[in-house]
């Protein structure tokens, strides 16, 4: 498996945005087919495991149990993720926070 450090960060940002639909839709999408259409089979085969691993790390947050409201949930889950992945772009954190708060609203 390719390590995240071996991939251009802007490519991962673009892939997360395409995959989640962040900034384009009213709700998260997370459709693998969108990545295949946008990047092709070979690039998607490299990116998809990385994206799903990052998503798993984000969703390991317990913010949904601790937060008093959606805003706090987004902030807490993002902070917890940042401790694990301080190198990850803000756009990725925002996209995953949007998905997380949508799923656990």
């Amino acid at each position: 498996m390719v390590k995240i450090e071996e991939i251009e960060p802007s490519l991962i940002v673009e892939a997360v945005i395409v995959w989640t639909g962040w900034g384009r839709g009213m709700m998260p999408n997370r459709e693998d087919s969108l990545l295949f259409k946008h990047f092709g089979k070979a690039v998607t085969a490299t990116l998809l495991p990385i994206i799903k691993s990052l998503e798993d790390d984000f969703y390991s947050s317990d913010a949904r149990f601790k937060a008093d409201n959606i805003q706090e949930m987004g902030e807490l889950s993002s902070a917890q993720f940042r401790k694990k992945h301080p190198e990850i772009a803000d756009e990725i954190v925002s996209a995953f926070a949007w998905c997380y708060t949508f799923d656990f609203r």
Side-chain angles (χ1 to χ4, degrees):
M1 182 171 148
V2 175
K3 295 181 181 179
I4 194 168
E5 299 84 20
E6 298 172 2
I7 304 292
E8 173 64 35
S10 63
L11 189 60
I12 299 172
V13 170
E14 183 180 357
V16 168
I17 290 170
V18 168
W19 186 65
T20 61
W22 183 67
R24 289 183 247 177
M26 299 217 18
M27 59 187 204
N29 201 349
R30 292 172 283 196
E31 287 291 327
D32 297 355
S33 63
L34 295 174
L35 288 178
F36 285 106
K37 183 177 178 182
H38 189 82
F39 292 106
K41 187 176 182 179
V43 175
T44 298
T46 300
L47 291 172
L48 196 54
I50 292 169
I51 292 168
K52 289 191 176 187
S53 176
L54 290 172
E55 182 194 38
D56 287 346
D57 284 349
F58 199 100
Y59 273 69
S60 70
S61 171
D62 62 355
R64 65 186 175 273
F65 303 117
K66 293 183 174 183
D68 291 329
N69 55 55
I70 289 179
Q71 181 178 350
E72 184 181 1
M73 186 190 317
E75 292 168 359
L76 182 56
S77 60
S78 296
Q80 290 172 350
F81 181 76
R82 278 263 178 238
K83 286 182 183 178
K84 294 177 185 176
H85 297 284
E87 77 287 358
I88 295 297
D90 291 340
E91 295 94 331
I92 292 174
V93 177
S94 295
F96 285 143
W98 174 60
C99 294
Y100 184 91
T101 56
F102 184 87
D103 290 346
F104 297 114
R105 60 195 154 125

